[in-house]
């Protein structure tokens, strides 16, 4: 029984770290400029070098279909324990063709000696 629980927990962790979840929110704020009416932002956080589909194609297709105005990537885009810079760079090179991308580093990026390279490539 304990083995079954451990296996189920491992499967859940793997699934939750690679599942694509899209949530849509409508912000009703009268103080925003009229130009923000219908403005669409994708928010990606705690990515940790994930791959959603081969080379993140599933995620990129979802972003493209969303007709975005902006993509916000906020922290832990890469994983400092299992760093694969090329996964991140392949994704960002394609994402910038979908919409302008804005990036804020997280604690995983701050631990890496290669952060300057990541930052330079993303700029």
């Amino acid at each position: 029984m304990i083995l079954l629980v451990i296996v189920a927990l491992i499967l859940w962790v793997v699934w939750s770290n690679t599942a694509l979840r899209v949530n849509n929110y409508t912000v009703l704020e009268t103080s925003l400029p009229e130009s923000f009416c219908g403005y669409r932002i994708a928010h990606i956080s705690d990515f940790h070098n994930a791959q959603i589909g081969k080379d993140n194609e599933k995620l990129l297709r979802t972003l493209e279909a969303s007709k975005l105005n902006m993509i916000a990537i906020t922290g832990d885009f890469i994983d400092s324990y299992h760093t694969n810079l090329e996964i991140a760079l392949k994704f960002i090179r394609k994402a910038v063709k979908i919409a302008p991308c804005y990036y804020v580093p997280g604690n995983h990026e701050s631990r890496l000696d290669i952060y300057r390279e990541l930052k330079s490539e993303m700029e």
Side-chain angles (χ1 to χ4, degrees):
M1 180 62 173
I2 293 175
L3 181 60
L4 182 61
V5 171
I6 292 171
V7 169
L9 181 62
I10 290 170
L11 290 174
W12 179 80
V13 167
V14 169
W15 174 83
S16 67
N17 284 329
T18 57
L20 178 60
R21 184 175 68 206
V22 176
N23 297 313
N24 290 296
Y25 300 98
T26 300
V27 176
L28 301 173
E29 179 55 56
T30 57
S31 66
L32 288 173
E34 183 70 27
S35 60
F36 279 98
C37 184
Y39 200 86
R40 299 178 62 85
I41 302 170
H43 177 222
I44 299 171
S45 186
D46 294 292
F47 201 62
H48 293 277
N49 281 125
Q51 290 203 70
I52 301 172
K54 184 177 183 334
D55 291 331
N56 282 304
E57 289 301 325
K58 184 176 179 182
L59 173 57
L60 290 160
R61 279 193 310 272
T62 300
L63 292 170
E64 191 165 24
S66 297
K67 307 289 187 223
L68 301 169
N69 297 95
M70 173 183 148
I71 300 170
I73 303 169
T74 57
D76 297 345
F77 188 54
I78 55 179
D79 189 318
S80 61
Y81 301 112
H82 307 287
T83 304
N84 187 328
L85 190 59
E86 195 53 36
I87 290 173
L89 295 178
K90 277 184 183 178
F91 172 80
I92 203 66
R93 286 178 190 130
K94 292 179 181 179
V96 297
K97 293 177 182 176
I98 296 169
C101 296
Y102 298 88
Y103 171 71
V104 177
N107 63 311
H108 279 260
E109 288 87 357
S110 68
R111 294 182 211 156
L112 294 172
D113 293 335
I114 62 168
Y115 174 67
R116 284 189 178 148
E117 181 181 351
L118 173 68
K119 181 181 176 202
S120 174
E121 286 287 332
M122 291 180 85
E123 288 174 342

